[in-house]
Amino acid sequence: MSLLVVGSVAFDAIETPFGKTDKILGGAGTFISLASSYFVPSPKVVSVVGHDFPSEHMELLRSHGIDLEGLQVKAEGKTFFWQGRYHNDMNSRDTVATELNVLADFDPVLPESYQDAEYLMLGNLSPVVQRQVIERLRTRPRLIAMDTMNFWMDTQLDELRRTLAMVDVLTINDSEARQLSGEYALVKAARKIQAMGPRFVIIKKGEHGALLFGDRKIFHAPALPLEDVFDPTGAGDTFAGGFIGYLAKTGDLSFENFKNAIILGSAMASFCVERFGTSRLQNLRQEEIYERVQQFIDLVRFDYESNA
Ligand code: AMP
């Protein structure tokens, strides 16, 4: 059940209609590993930070059992920084600043103890780095999932396609699925993306949930209707962490179990958006997670007698 997570470990500064933060702990790798730590004992992180990354953030990650042997600390550089501002509807945001810093020339190093990872989650990063990680593993993991974004489609489409051809699962949002496939209808978009490599495609639709495509089947997971969405940053990464963490925990890669995994991912994402940054993901109880899964079940369950 060992899980390897690759992704940014970052400082984020976030502004929403409800308030703003200074530099807080963020990054795709952070959200993925925190979410997955509720399902697997010690997710292994591959990432890089600078000299300015505080020890209390390291401690927080370690307190969740997260293995930081593959987290490089560059004495001469600064940690990746991202600043975003959400619009009033909370569905769209502007990137105010992206300072790559140590991420600019990130050369992923895989410690020997990471070599036997059975599950690999490639968070949104350069497709070249994502591929390097796959190539540096001596044994191909049982399941490789990746996330990406429009930036890589705009700037490194050929590299993205090469990496895509090597993975089993792609998580992507709806507008990016349309951009990558050139198809507006999401069913057609997913089919085209599957033809590029991944057997499973998960299209995230924010407050409208997520669609799973695979084995010629489709499944829809709703998003939980929440009274307050405080900060959506990292929701997609948290979804991915819950999803792959659940698959790694159960070891069942059937389409039926993928359905469960995207519900667990959606449940974890629903916690993430309730507070700024990672704060809601820091102290969850297992009962809270399973209560929330029950809310998903109740949300969509109904009795229909087809012969009534
Ligand atoms: P999400 O809200 O799921 O899109 O993820 C937001 C997280 O991704 C933030 O915590 C950022 O630090 C991180 N992030 C934003 N842009 C990038 C990028 N170009 N490369 C890596 N991580 C990024």
Side-chain angles (χ1 to χ4, degrees):
M1 59 145 67
S2 54
L3 170 64
L4 177 52
V5 173
V6 185
S8 51
V9 173
F11 288 130
D12 287 350
I14 301 155
E15 192 175 335
T16 77
F18 304 103
K20 60 193 287 190
T21 71
D22 283 330
K23 288 185 172 183
I24 57 171
L25 174 63
T30 303
F31 285 102
I32 296 169
S33 52
L34 271 175
S36 66
S37 73
Y38 288 93
F39 302 94
V40 291
S42 52
K44 302 168 192 308
V45 171
V46 170
S47 193
V48 63
V49 292
H51 60 79
D52 52 352
F53 195 71
S55 55
E56 60 263 32
H57 289 348
M58 299 268 198
E59 280 319 306
L60 171 78
L61 297 172
R62 281 202 190 95
S63 73
H64 279 78
I66 295 167
D67 184 341
L68 299 181
E69 200 187 338
L71 178 69
Q72 302 170 46
V73 182
K74 297 280 180 196
E76 70 285 7
K78 286 170 70 180
T79 301
F80 172 73
F81 171 64
W82 177 79
Q83 185 175 8
R85 184 181 299 130
Y86 287 85
H87 301 168
N88 280 342
D89 67 0
M90 297 292 265
N91 283 323
S92 50
R93 70 183 178 204
D94 296 321
T95 292
V96 180
T98 301
E99 293 173 16
L100 287 177
N101 298 328
V102 291
L103 212 54
D105 47 12
F106 176 40
D107 186 13
V109 174
L110 273 63
E112 192 55 35
S113 64
Y114 285 27
Q115 280 294 340
D116 59 355
E118 296 171 272
Y119 298 84
L120 171 60
M121 181 68 227
L122 300 165
N124 168 37
L125 273 181
S126 140
V128 175
V129 172
Q130 291 176 318
R131 195 168 60 248
Q132 280 171 339
V133 172
I134 300 174
E135 287 169 350
R136 289 175 188 183
L137 283 168
R138 286 195 294 272
T139 312
R140 188 191 192 277
R142 252 191 107 200
L143 189 80
I144 304 178
M146 76 179 266
D147 191 28
T148 192
M149 69 185 295
N150 53 354
F151 177 75
W152 306 115
M153 296 170 207
D154 296 336
T155 59
Q156 296 192 39
L157 185 59
D158 289 345
E159 296 291 356
L160 177 64
R161 277 179 164 267
R162 279 183 67 191
T163 306
L164 204 51
M166 300 169 82
V167 308
D168 304 300
V169 184
L170 177 70
T171 64
I172 190 169
N173 77 28
D174 45 0
S175 64
E176 290 158 351
R178 290 181 170 119
Q179 178 174 346
L180 183 60
S181 63
E183 293 286 349
Y184 186 80
L186 293 178
V187 175
K188 280 191 185 157
R191 298 274 176 267
K192 272 205 173 172
I193 296 170
Q194 284 176 297
M196 298 175 196
R199 185 171 149 211
F200 296 95
V201 174
I202 297 169
I203 300 184
K204 299 171 286 180
K205 300 192 297 155
E207 64 175 335
H208 302 297
L211 286 168
L212 164 68
F213 297 85
D215 294 352
R216 309 188 69 79
K217 298 179 204 156
I218 305 177
F219 178 69
H220 174 247
L224 206 62
L226 296 168
E227 292 213 7
D228 294 309
V229 174
F230 210 70
D231 170 20
T233 308
D237 308 313
T238 303
F239 172 93
F243 164 79
I244 195 118
Y246 181 80
L247 288 179
K249 176 183 172 175
T250 55
D252 174 354
L253 301 184
S254 65
F255 186 84
E256 286 307 305
N257 201 47
F258 266 59
K259 292 183 186 177
N260 295 329
I262 74 166
I263 295 291
L264 265 299
S266 304
M268 296 306 287
S270 75
F271 288 117
C272 174
V273 303
E274 288 181 338
R275 303 262 191 288
F276 271 119
T278 59
S279 44
R280 188 71 174 96
L281 296 179
Q282 291 180 17
N283 295 298
L284 284 173
R285 287 175 293 105
Q286 291 291 337
E287 309 88 80
E288 283 180 283
I289 297 173
Y290 289 100
E291 275 165 25
R292 200 147 282 198
V293 171
Q294 189 58 47
Q295 288 179 273
F296 276 84
I297 295 169
D298 294 342
L299 186 68
V300 293
R301 187 172 50 200
F302 61 98
D303 293 320
Y304 172 70
E305 298 273 347
S306 59
N307 56 355

